[in-house]
Amino acid sequence: MNINLSFSTVAARIQMEPKELRLLLRPDVKSQFIAISDDAKLKPFQIEMLRSELKSNRELAAVIEASAAAVRQNVIGYFRQEGLFDLDHVALVDVGWKGSLQDAIYRIMSSEVSCPRMTEYYFGTSCYSQNTSPLNRKIPFFLFPSGKPGYGPLVELLLLADHGMTLRYECDAGDRYRAVTKEEGAHLFDWGLSDYFDGIRD
């Protein structure tokens, strides 16, 4: 999502430091980002410029693809460890909303096993992607695609976890894969996260 997107956020999403990403930009694009700080909110034209650069700069793409290949092997290792490749039909449960994560998981599984079947159960979906099919099903429970503003933020609050989103997977010294999650910061606990969870349970 483009809300409050910064240069450092874009770099992190492709497993790079902002300085490293700047070095790989072509000169005409690099000149547009020299004067802005890494954490400044990007303007729409800057977002489009970076999106275009990511699609067309082959040197940059090669670095991203090499990094992604290494990260992807850990994802596959985690899936194999959890038995996803041994099952005839995989079911996942998620909050929502577009199913893009499910589509990514399905593509990875398809590269390892032939014709995997996946069904994901959502609290809600805002749309169905073109990758939705009988082999890659999406079943919403409470909110359905409608084009109207939904209750997504409310449901997200009700299902808030005590850890951040999964950033990547790592293999430890015992050859076990584990999820590395984003640190949400002490401010949430200072705000009263444990009291909030108690309230939800009540």
Side-chain angles (χ1 to χ4, degrees), residues 179-201:
V180 178
T181 57
K182 182 179 179 182
E183 293 289 340
E184 287 293 11
H187 69 282
L188 279 179
F189 294 94
D190 294 341
W191 169 75
L193 190 62
S194 59
D195 293 333
Y196 177 80
F197 287 149
D198 289 341
I200 295 294
R201 281 189 289 271

Side-chain angles (χ1 to χ4, degrees), residues 29-139:
V29 177
K30 188 185 299 184
S31 65
Q32 298 294 317
F33 294 94
I34 288 175
I36 66 168
S37 73
D38 292 341
D39 296 318
K41 180 179 176 181
L42 295 175
K43 295 181 172 66
F45 82 91
Q46 293 169 322
I47 293 170
E48 288 306 314
M49 187 177 294
L50 277 177
R51 181 178 284 123
S52 176
E53 180 74 350
L54 288 168
K55 289 179 178 179
S56 60
N57 183 333
R58 294 311 307 161
E59 181 185 359
L60 175 58
V63 173
I64 294 171
E65 287 165 5
S67 174
V71 172
R72 187 175 180 279
Q73 288 308 307
N74 284 347
V75 175
I76 290 172
Y78 179 77
F79 286 178
R80 182 168 286 113
Q81 170 184 289
E82 299 303 311
L84 265 66
F85 300 141
D86 302 325
L87 302 173
D88 177 59
H89 195 158
V90 175
L92 302 174
V93 178
D94 196 0
V95 179
W97 302 102
K98 296 182 179 179
S100 55
L101 177 60
Q102 176 183 343
D103 293 340
I105 292 172
Y106 187 78
R107 283 195 299 272
I108 292 171
M109 289 185 64
S110 297
S111 70
E112 297 295 311
V113 295
S114 61
C115 296
R117 291 192 300 155
M118 178 182 290
T119 299
E120 186 139 355
Y121 298 92
Y122 295 96
F123 264 84
T125 55
S126 56
C127 65
Y128 295 121
S129 74
Q130 293 180 342
N131 296 309
T132 306
S133 73
L135 293 177
N136 185 32
R137 298 192 308 161
K138 299 177 175 75
I139 302 179

